[in-house]
Coordinates of all heavy atoms in Angstrom, one line a residue:
M24 N 89.8 151.3 110.0 CA 90.8 150.4 109.6 C 90.2 149.0 109.5 O 89.5 148.6 110.5 CB 91.9 150.4 110.6 CG 93.0 149.4 110.3 SD 94.5 149.6 111.3 CE 93.9 149.2 112.9
K25 N 90.6 148.2 108.5 CA 90.1 146.8 108.3 C 91.0 145.9 109.0 O 92.2 145.9 108.7 CB 89.9 146.5 106.9 CG 89.3 145.2 106.6 CD 89.2 144.9 105.1 CE 88.7 143.5 104.9 NZ 88.7 143.2 103.4
I26 N 90.5 145.0 109.8 CA 91.4 144.0 110.4 C 91.0 142.6 109.9 O 89.8 142.2 109.9 CB 91.2 144.0 112.0 CG1 91.6 145.4 112.5 CG2 92.0 142.9 112.7 CD1 91.4 145.5 114.0
T27 N 92.0 141.9 109.4 CA 91.8 140.6 108.9 C 92.3 139.6 110.0 O 93.3 139.7 110.5 CB 92.6 140.4 107.6 OG1 92.2 141.4 106.7 CG2 92.4 139.0 107.0
V28 N 91.4 138.6 110.2 CA 91.7 137.6 111.2 C 92.0 136.2 110.4 O 91.2 135.9 109.6 CB 90.5 137.4 112.2 CG1 90.8 136.3 113.2 CG2 90.2 138.7 112.9
A29 N 93.1 135.7 110.8 CA 93.5 134.4 110.2 C 93.3 133.3 111.2 O 93.4 133.4 112.4 CB 95.0 134.4 109.8
A30 N 92.9 132.1 110.7 CA 92.7 130.9 111.6 C 93.9 130.0 111.4 O 94.4 129.8 110.4 CB 91.4 130.2 111.1
L31 N 94.3 129.5 112.6 CA 95.5 128.6 112.6 C 94.9 127.2 112.7 O 93.9 126.9 113.3 CB 96.4 128.8 113.8 CG 97.1 130.2 113.9 CD1 97.8 130.3 115.2 CD2 98.0 130.3 112.8
T32 N 95.5 126.3 111.9 CA 95.1 124.9 111.9 C 95.9 124.3 113.1 O 96.8 124.8 113.7 CB 95.4 124.2 110.6 OG1 96.8 124.3 110.4 CG2 94.6 124.8 109.5
E33 N 95.4 123.1 113.4 CA 96.1 122.4 114.6 C 97.5 122.0 114.3 O 97.9 121.8 113.2 CB 95.2 121.2 115.0 CG 95.2 120.1 113.8 CD 94.2 119.0 114.1 OE1 93.0 119.3 114.1 OE2 94.6 117.9 114.3
P34 N 98.3 121.9 115.3 CA 99.8 121.5 115.1 C 99.9 120.2 114.4 O 99.0 119.3 114.6 CB 100.3 121.4 116.6 CG 99.4 122.1 117.4 CD 98.0 122.1 116.8
G35 N 100.9 120.0 113.6 CA 101.2 118.8 112.9 C 100.4 118.6 111.7 O 100.3 117.5 111.1
S36 N 99.6 119.7 111.3 CA 98.8 119.5 110.1 C 99.5 119.3 108.8 O 98.8 118.9 107.8 CB 97.8 120.7 110.0 OG 98.5 121.9 109.9
T37 N 100.8 119.6 108.8 CA 101.5 119.4 107.5 C 101.6 118.0 107.1 O 101.9 117.6 106.0 CB 102.9 120.0 107.5 OG1 103.6 119.5 108.6 CG2 102.8 121.6 107.6
V38 N 101.4 117.1 108.1 CA 101.4 115.7 107.8 C 100.1 115.4 106.9 O 100.2 114.5 106.0 CB 101.4 114.8 109.1 CG1 101.1 113.3 108.7 CG2 102.6 115.0 109.8
V39 N 99.1 116.1 107.2 CA 97.8 115.9 106.4 C 97.9 116.7 105.2 O 97.5 116.3 104.1 CB 96.6 116.4 107.3 CG1 95.4 116.2 106.5 CG2 96.6 115.6 108.6
N40 N 98.3 118.0 105.3 CA 98.4 118.9 104.1 C 99.8 118.8 103.5 O 100.7 119.3 104.0 CB 98.1 120.4 104.6 CG 96.8 120.5 105.3 OD1 95.8 119.9 104.8 ND2 96.8 121.2 106.4
K41 N 99.8 118.2 102.3 CA 101.1 118.0 101.6 C 101.6 119.4 101.3 O 101.0 120.1 100.5 CB 100.9 117.1 100.5 CG 100.6 115.7 100.8 CD 100.5 114.8 99.7 CE 100.3 113.3 100.2 NZ 100.2 112.4 99.0
T42 N 102.9 119.7 101.8 CA 103.4 121.0 101.6 C 104.3 121.1 100.3 O 104.9 122.2 100.0 CB 104.3 121.4 102.8 OG1 105.1 120.3 103.1 CG2 103.4 121.7 104.0
G43 N 104.4 120.0 99.6 CA 105.2 120.0 98.4 C 104.7 121.1 97.3 O 105.5 121.5 96.5
G44 N 103.4 121.4 97.4 CA 102.8 122.3 96.5 C 103.4 123.8 96.6 O 103.1 124.6 95.8
W45 N 104.0 124.1 97.8 CA 104.5 125.4 98.1 C 105.8 125.7 97.3 O 106.3 126.8 97.1 CB 104.9 125.6 99.5 CG 103.7 125.4 100.5 CD1 102.4 125.1 100.2 CD2 103.8 125.4 101.9 NE1 101.7 125.0 101.3 CE2 102.5 125.2 102.4 CE3 104.9 125.7 102.8 CZ2 102.2 125.2 103.7 CZ3 104.6 125.7 104.2 CH2 103.3 125.4 104.6
R46 N 106.4 124.6 96.8 CA 107.8 124.6 96.3 C 108.0 125.3 95.0 O 107.2 125.1 94.0 CB 108.3 123.1 96.2 CG 109.7 122.9 96.1 CD 110.0 121.4 96.1 NE 109.2 120.7 95.1 CZ 108.4 119.7 95.4 NH1 108.2 119.3 96.6 NH2 107.8 119.0 94.4
T47 N 109.1 126.1 94.9 CA 109.5 126.7 93.6 C 110.8 126.0 93.2 O 111.0 125.7 92.0 CB 109.7 128.2 93.8 OG1 108.5 128.8 94.2 CG2 110.2 128.8 92.5
F48 N 111.7 125.8 94.2 CA 113.0 125.1 93.9 C 112.9 123.7 94.6 O 112.3 123.5 95.6 CB 114.1 125.9 94.5 CG 114.4 127.2 93.8 CD1 113.8 128.4 94.1 CD2 115.4 127.2 92.7 CE1 114.1 129.5 93.4 CE2 115.6 128.3 92.0 CZ 115.0 129.5 92.3
V49 N 113.5 122.8 93.9 CA 113.5 121.4 94.3 C 115.0 121.0 94.6 O 115.9 121.3 93.9 CB 112.9 120.5 93.2 CG1 113.7 120.4 92.0 CG2 112.7 119.1 93.8
P50 N 115.2 120.3 95.8 CA 116.6 119.8 96.1 C 116.9 118.6 95.2 O 116.1 117.6 95.1 CB 116.5 119.4 97.5 CG 115.0 119.1 97.8 CD 114.2 119.9 96.9
V51 N 118.1 118.6 94.6 CA 118.5 117.5 93.8 C 119.8 117.0 94.5 O 120.8 117.8 94.7 CB 118.8 117.9 92.4 CG1 119.4 116.7 91.6 CG2 117.5 118.3 91.8
V52 N 119.8 115.7 94.9 CA 121.0 115.2 95.7 C 122.0 114.5 94.7 O 121.6 113.7 93.9 CB 120.5 114.2 96.7 CG1 121.7 113.7 97.6 CG2 119.5 114.8 97.6
N53 N 123.2 114.9 94.8 CA 124.3 114.2 94.1 C 124.8 113.1 95.0 O 125.6 113.4 95.9 CB 125.4 115.2 93.7 CG 126.5 114.5 93.0 OD1 126.7 113.3 93.0 ND2 127.3 115.4 92.3
H54 N 124.3 112.0 94.8 CA 124.7 110.8 95.8 C 126.2 110.5 95.7 O 126.7 109.9 96.7 CB 123.8 109.7 95.4 CG 122.4 109.9 95.7 ND1 121.8 110.1 96.9 CD2 121.3 110.1 94.8 CE1 120.5 110.4 96.8 NE2 120.2 110.4 95.5
K55 N 126.9 110.8 94.7 CA 128.3 110.5 94.6 C 129.1 111.4 95.5 O 130.1 111.0 96.0 CB 128.8 110.7 93.2 CG 128.3 109.6 92.2 CD 128.9 109.8 90.8 CE 128.3 108.8 89.9 NZ 128.6 109.1 88.5
R56 N 128.6 112.6 95.8 CA 129.3 113.5 96.7 C 128.9 113.3 98.2 O 129.5 113.6 99.1 CB 128.9 115.0 96.4 CG 129.5 115.4 95.1 CD 129.3 116.9 94.9 NE 130.0 117.7 95.9 CZ 131.3 118.0 95.8 NH1 132.0 117.7 94.8 NH2 131.9 118.7 96.8
C57 N 127.7 112.6 98.4 CA 127.2 112.4 99.7 C 128.1 111.5 100.6 O 128.5 110.5 100.1 CB 125.8 111.8 99.6 SG 125.0 111.4 101.2
I58 N 128.3 112.0 101.8 CA 129.1 111.2 102.7 C 128.3 110.5 103.9 O 128.8 110.1 104.9 CB 130.2 112.0 103.4 CG1 129.7 113.3 104.1 CG2 131.3 112.3 102.3 CD1 130.7 114.0 104.9
K59 N 126.9 110.6 103.7 CA 125.9 110.0 104.6 C 126.1 110.5 106.0 O 126.1 109.8 107.0 CB 126.0 108.5 104.5 CG 125.8 108.0 103.1 CD 125.8 106.5 103.1 CE 125.9 105.9 101.7 NZ 125.0 106.5 100.7
C60 N 126.2 111.8 106.2 CA 126.4 112.5 107.5 C 125.0 112.6 108.2 O 125.0 112.9 109.4 CB 127.2 113.8 107.4 SG 126.2 115.1 106.5
S61 N 124.0 112.6 107.5 CA 122.6 112.8 108.0 C 122.2 114.2 108.3 O 121.1 114.4 108.9 CB 122.3 111.9 109.3 OG 122.5 110.6 109.0
L62 N 123.1 115.2 108.1 CA 122.7 116.6 108.5 C 121.5 117.1 107.8 O 120.7 117.8 108.3 CB 123.9 117.5 108.3 CG 125.1 117.3 109.2 CD1 126.2 118.3 108.9 CD2 124.6 117.6 110.7
C63 N 121.4 116.7 106.5 CA 120.2 117.2 105.8 C 118.9 116.6 106.4 O 117.9 117.3 106.6 CB 120.3 116.8 104.3 SG 120.5 115.0 104.1
E64 N 119.0 115.4 106.8 CA 117.9 114.7 107.4 C 117.5 115.4 108.8 O 116.3 115.7 109.2 CB 118.2 113.2 107.6 CG 117.0 112.4 108.2 CD 117.4 111.0 108.4 OE1 118.6 110.7 108.5 OE2 116.5 110.1 108.4
I65 N 118.6 115.7 109.5 CA 118.4 116.4 110.9 C 117.8 117.8 110.7 O 116.9 118.2 111.5 CB 119.7 116.4 111.6 CG1 120.2 114.9 112.0 CG2 119.7 117.2 112.9 CD1 121.6 114.8 112.4
Y66 N 118.3 118.6 109.8 CA 118.0 120.0 109.7 C 116.7 120.2 108.9 O 116.1 121.3 109.1 CB 119.1 120.8 109.1 CG 120.2 121.1 110.1 CD1 121.4 120.5 110.1 CD2 120.0 122.1 111.0 CE1 122.4 120.8 111.0 CE2 121.0 122.5 111.9 CZ 122.1 121.8 111.9 OH 123.1 122.1 112.8
C67 N 116.2 119.3 108.1 CA 115.0 119.6 107.3 C 113.9 119.9 108.2 O 113.4 119.1 109.0 CB 114.7 118.3 106.5 SG 113.1 118.5 105.6
P68 N 113.3 121.1 108.1 CA 112.2 121.5 109.0 C 110.9 120.7 108.7 O 110.1 120.7 109.6 CB 112.0 122.9 108.6 CG 112.5 123.1 107.3 CD 113.7 122.2 107.1
E69 N 110.8 120.1 107.6 CA 109.6 119.2 107.3 C 109.8 117.7 107.7 O 108.9 117.0 107.7 CB 109.2 119.3 105.8 CG 108.7 120.6 105.4 CD 107.4 121.0 106.1 OE1 106.6 120.2 106.3 OE2 107.3 122.1 106.5
G70 N 111.1 117.4 108.1 CA 111.4 116.1 108.4 C 111.1 115.1 107.2 O 110.7 114.0 107.5
C71 N 111.3 115.6 106.1 CA 110.9 114.8 104.9 C 112.1 114.2 104.1 O 111.9 113.6 103.0 CB 110.1 115.7 104.0 SG 110.9 116.9 103.1
I72 N 113.3 114.2 104.7 CA 114.4 113.5 104.1 C 114.6 112.2 104.8 O 114.7 112.1 106.0 CB 115.7 114.3 104.1 CG1 115.5 115.6 103.3 CG2 116.9 113.5 103.5 CD1 116.8 116.5 103.2
R73 N 114.6 111.1 103.9 CA 114.7 109.8 104.5 C 115.8 109.1 103.7 O 116.2 109.4 102.6 CB 113.4 109.0 104.1 CG 112.1 109.6 104.8 CD 111.9 109.0 106.2 NE 110.7 109.5 106.8 CZ 110.5 110.5 107.5 NH1 111.6 111.3 107.8 NH2 109.4 110.9 108.1
Q74 N 116.3 108.0 104.5 CA 117.3 107.2 103.8 C 116.5 106.0 103.2 O 115.7 105.3 103.8 CB 118.2 106.5 104.8 CG 119.4 107.4 105.1 CD 120.5 106.6 105.8 OE1 121.2 105.8 105.3 NE2 120.6 106.9 107.1
I75 N 116.7 105.9 101.9 CA 116.1 104.8 101.1 C 117.2 104.0 100.5 O 118.0 104.6 99.6 CB 115.1 105.3 100.1 CG1 113.9 106.1 100.8 CG2 114.5 104.1 99.3 CD1 113.0 106.7 99.9
D76 N 117.4 102.8 100.8 CA 118.4 101.9 100.3 C 119.8 102.6 100.5 O 120.7 102.6 99.6 CB 118.2 101.6 98.9 CG 117.0 100.7 98.7 OD1 116.6 99.9 99.6 OD2 116.3 100.8 97.6
G77 N 120.0 103.3 101.6 CA 121.2 104.0 101.9 C 121.4 105.3 101.3 O 122.4 106.0 101.5
L78 N 120.5 105.8 100.5 CA 120.6 107.1 99.9 C 119.6 108.1 100.5 O 118.5 107.7 100.9 CB 120.2 107.0 98.4 CG 121.0 106.0 97.6 CD1 120.4 106.0 96.1 CD2 122.5 106.4 97.6
F79 N 120.1 109.3 100.7 CA 119.2 110.4 101.3 C 118.4 111.0 100.2 O 118.9 111.6 99.3 CB 120.2 111.4 102.0 CG 120.7 110.9 103.3 CD1 121.8 110.1 103.2 CD2 120.1 111.1 104.5 CE1 122.4 109.6 104.4 CE2 120.7 110.6 105.7 CZ 121.8 109.8 105.6
V80 N 117.0 110.9 100.5 CA 116.1 111.3 99.4 C 115.0 112.1 100.1 O 114.4 111.7 101.0 CB 115.5 110.0 98.8 CG1 114.5 110.4 97.7 CG2 116.5 109.1 98.2
P81 N 114.8 113.3 99.5 CA 113.6 114.1 100.0 C 112.3 113.6 99.4 O 112.2 113.2 98.3 CB 113.9 115.6 99.4 CG 114.8 115.3 98.2 CD 115.5 114.0 98.5
D82 N 111.3 113.6 100.3 CA 110.0 113.2 99.9 C 109.3 114.5 99.3 O 108.9 115.4 100.1 CB 109.2 112.7 101.2 CG 107.7 112.3 100.8 OD1 107.2 112.7 99.7 OD2 107.1 111.5 101.6
L83 N 109.2 114.5 98.0 CA 108.7 115.7 97.4 C 107.2 116.0 97.6 O 106.7 117.0 97.2 CB 109.0 115.6 95.9 CG 110.5 115.5 95.5 CD1 110.7 115.5 94.0 CD2 111.2 116.6 96.1
D84 N 106.5 115.1 98.2 CA 105.1 115.4 98.6 C 105.1 116.4 99.7 O 104.2 117.2 99.9 CB 104.4 114.1 99.1 CG 103.9 113.2 98.0 OD1 103.8 113.7 96.8 OD2 103.6 112.1 98.2
Y85 N 106.2 116.5 100.5 CA 106.2 117.3 101.7 C 107.3 118.4 101.6 O 107.3 119.4 102.4 CB 106.4 116.5 103.0 CG 105.2 115.6 103.2 CD1 105.2 114.3 102.8 CD2 104.0 116.1 103.7 CE1 104.1 113.5 103.0 CE2 102.9 115.3 103.9 CZ 102.9 114.0 103.5 OH 101.8 113.2 103.7
C86 N 108.4 118.1 100.8 CA 109.5 119.2 100.6 C 108.9 120.5 100.2 O 108.3 120.5 99.1 CB 110.5 118.6 99.7 SG 111.7 119.9 99.2
K87 N 109.1 121.6 100.9 CA 108.6 122.9 100.5 C 109.7 123.7 99.8 O 109.4 124.9 99.5 CB 108.0 123.6 101.7 CG 109.0 123.8 102.9 CD 108.3 124.4 104.1 CE 109.2 124.6 105.3 NZ 108.5 125.0 106.4
G88 N 110.9 123.1 99.6 CA 111.8 123.8 98.8 C 112.5 124.9 99.5 O 113.0 125.9 98.8
C89 N 112.7 124.8 100.8 CA 113.3 125.9 101.6 C 114.8 126.1 101.4 O 115.3 127.1 101.6 CB 113.0 125.8 103.1 SG 113.7 124.3 103.8
G90 N 115.4 125.0 101.0 CA 116.9 125.0 100.8 C 117.7 124.8 102.0 O 119.0 124.9 101.9
V91 N 117.1 124.5 103.2 CA 117.9 124.3 104.4 C 118.9 123.1 104.2 O 120.1 123.2 104.6 CB 117.0 124.1 105.7 CG1 117.8 123.7 106.8 CG2 116.3 125.4 106.0
C92 N 118.4 122.1 103.6 CA 119.2 120.9 103.5 C 120.5 121.2 102.6 O 121.6 120.8 102.9 CB 118.4 119.8 102.8 SG 117.6 120.2 101.2
A93 N 120.3 122.0 101.5 CA 121.4 122.3 100.7 C 122.4 123.2 101.4 O 123.6 123.1 101.3 CB 120.9 123.0 99.4
H94 N 121.9 124.1 102.2 CA 122.7 125.0 102.9 C 123.6 124.3 104.0 O 124.7 124.6 104.2 CB 121.9 126.1 103.6 CG 122.6 127.2 104.3 ND1 123.0 127.1 105.7 CD2 123.2 128.3 103.9 CE1 123.7 128.2 106.0 NE2 123.9 128.9 105.0
E95 N 123.0 123.4 104.6 CA 123.7 122.6 105.7 C 124.6 121.5 105.3 O 125.4 121.1 106.0 CB 122.6 122.1 106.7 CG 121.8 123.1 107.4 CD 122.7 124.1 108.3 OE1 123.7 123.7 108.7 OE2 122.3 125.2 108.4
C96 N 124.4 121.0 104.0 CA 125.2 119.9 103.6 C 126.7 120.3 103.5 O 127.0 121.2 102.7 CB 124.7 119.5 102.2 SG 125.7 118.1 101.5
P97 N 127.5 119.6 104.2 CA 129.0 119.9 104.2 C 129.7 119.6 103.0 O 130.8 120.1 102.7 CB 129.5 119.1 105.4 CG 128.6 117.9 105.5 CD 127.3 118.4 105.1
R98 N 129.1 118.8 102.1 CA 129.7 118.4 100.9 C 129.2 119.1 99.6 O 129.5 118.8 98.5 CB 129.6 116.9 100.7 CG 130.3 116.0 101.7 CD 131.8 115.9 101.3 NE 131.9 115.1 100.1 CZ 132.8 115.2 99.2 NH1 133.8 116.1 99.4 NH2 132.8 114.5 98.1
K99 N 128.2 120.0 99.9 CA 127.5 120.7 98.8 C 127.0 119.6 97.8 O 127.1 119.8 96.6 CB 128.4 121.7 98.1 CG 129.0 122.7 98.9 CD 127.8 123.6 99.5 CE 128.3 124.6 100.6 NZ 127.3 125.0 101.6
A100 N 126.4 118.6 98.4 CA 125.9 117.5 97.5 C 124.4 117.7 97.1 O 123.9 116.9 96.4 CB 126.0 116.2 98.3
I101 N 123.8 118.8 97.7 CA 122.4 119.1 97.4 C 122.4 120.4 96.6 O 122.8 121.4 97.1 CB 121.5 119.1 98.6 CG1 121.7 117.8 99.4 CG2 120.1 119.4 98.2 CD1 120.9 117.8 100.7
E102 N 121.8 120.4 95.4 CA 121.6 121.6 94.7 C 120.1 122.0 94.6 O 119.3 121.0 94.3 CB 122.2 121.4 93.3 CG 122.1 122.6 92.4 CD 122.6 122.4 91.0 OE1 123.0 121.3 90.7 OE2 122.6 123.4 90.2
M103 N 119.8 123.3 94.8 CA 118.4 123.7 94.6 C 118.2 124.1 93.2 O 118.8 125.0 92.7 CB 118.0 124.8 95.6 CG 118.2 124.5 97.0 SD 117.2 123.0 97.6 CE 115.6 123.7 97.4
V104 N 117.2 123.4 92.5 CA 117.0 123.6 91.1 C 115.6 124.1 90.9 O 114.6 123.6 91.5 CB 117.2 122.3 90.4 CG1 116.9 122.4 88.8 CG2 118.7 121.8 90.5
L105 N 115.5 125.1 90.0 CA 114.1 125.7 89.7 C 113.3 124.5 89.1 O 113.7 123.9 88.2 CB 114.2 126.8 88.7 CG 112.9 127.5 88.4 CD1 112.4 128.2 89.6 CD2 113.2 128.6 87.3
E106 N 112.1 124.4 89.8 CA 111.3 123.2 89.4 C 110.3 123.6 88.3 O 109.7 124.7 88.3 CB 110.4 122.7 90.6 CG 109.6 121.5 90.3 CD 109.0 120.9 91.5 OE1 108.8 121.7 92.4 OE2 108.8 119.7 91.6
E107 N 110.3 122.8 87.3 CA 109.3 123.0 86.2 C 108.0 122.4 86.6 O 107.9 121.3 87.1 CB 109.8 122.4 84.9 CG 111.0 123.0 84.3 CD 111.5 122.5 83.0 OE1 110.6 121.9 82.2 OE2 112.6 122.5 82.7
K108 N 106.9 123.2 86.4 CA 105.6 122.8 86.8 C 104.7 122.5 85.6 O 104.9 123.1 84.6 CB 104.9 123.8 87.7 CG 105.8 124.1 89.0 CD 105.0 123.8 90.2 CE 106.0 124.1 91.4 NZ 105.3 123.8 92.7
Ligands
SF4_227 S1 114.4 121.9 100.7 FE1 113.7 122.2 102.8 S2 111.8 121.0 103.0 FE2 112.9 120.3 101.1 S3 114.1 118.6 101.8 FE3 115.4 120.4 101.9 S4 115.3 121.1 104.0 FE4 113.6 119.7 103.6
SF4_228 S1 124.0 116.6 104.3 FE1 124.9 116.2 102.3 S2 126.6 114.8 102.7 FE2 125.2 114.8 104.5 S3 123.8 113.1 104.2 FE3 122.8 114.9 103.4 S4 123.4 115.0 101.2 FE4 124.7 113.5 102.2

């Protein structure tokens, strides 16, 4: 039997390695529906949603397209859209 061994990188390495390249779907925020509750920012596992000029915006360099933000948004203000590459 062949055993494959994987190496783990050090914790916090996603700050160095931009995870945006993993993405298939991209979150698109409808700012008119947003009530600025911050839940998307709180739940995003990459911590890549920021408020910019009062608007909640994902940093696409690090957004891996998991859809957690869209799932947790109480206003359904975030839609996951297939990203064209
Ligand atoms: S899709 Fe995932 S990684 Fe991207 S902003 Fe939403 S919660 Fe964060
Ligand atoms: S979870 Fe939805 S309503 Fe709340 S801040 Fe994010 S986009 Fe706006």
Side-chain angles (χ1 to χ4, degrees):
M24 177 170 66
K25 182 180 177 186
I26 298 175
T27 303
V28 178
L31 297 175
T32 57
E33 61 191 69
S36 61
T37 55
V38 174
V39 178
N40 303 315
K41 293 184 176 178
T42 49
W45 302 358
R46 194 174 55 239
T47 302
F48 288 88
V49 63
V51 176
V52 182
N53 180 340
H54 297 292
K55 289 180 181 171
R56 292 189 64 84
C57 176
I58 56 171
K59 304 186 189 315
C60 67
S61 300
L62 288 178
C63 55
E64 183 179 24
I65 293 166
Y66 280 103
C67 173
E69 291 298 319
C71 69
I72 297 184
R73 298 271 187 270
Q74 274 195 74
I75 300 175
D76 295 331
L78 302 177
F79 287 80
V80 180
D82 181 341
L83 297 184
D84 280 344
Y85 297 98
C86 167
K87 59 188 178 187
C89 65
V91 169
C92 55
H94 184 266
E95 296 299 332
C96 176
R98 292 279 295 153
K99 300 299 175 208
I101 303 176
E102 181 182 4
M103 300 303 295
V104 176
L105 185 64
E106 184 171 29
E107 292 184 25
K108 302 241 179 180

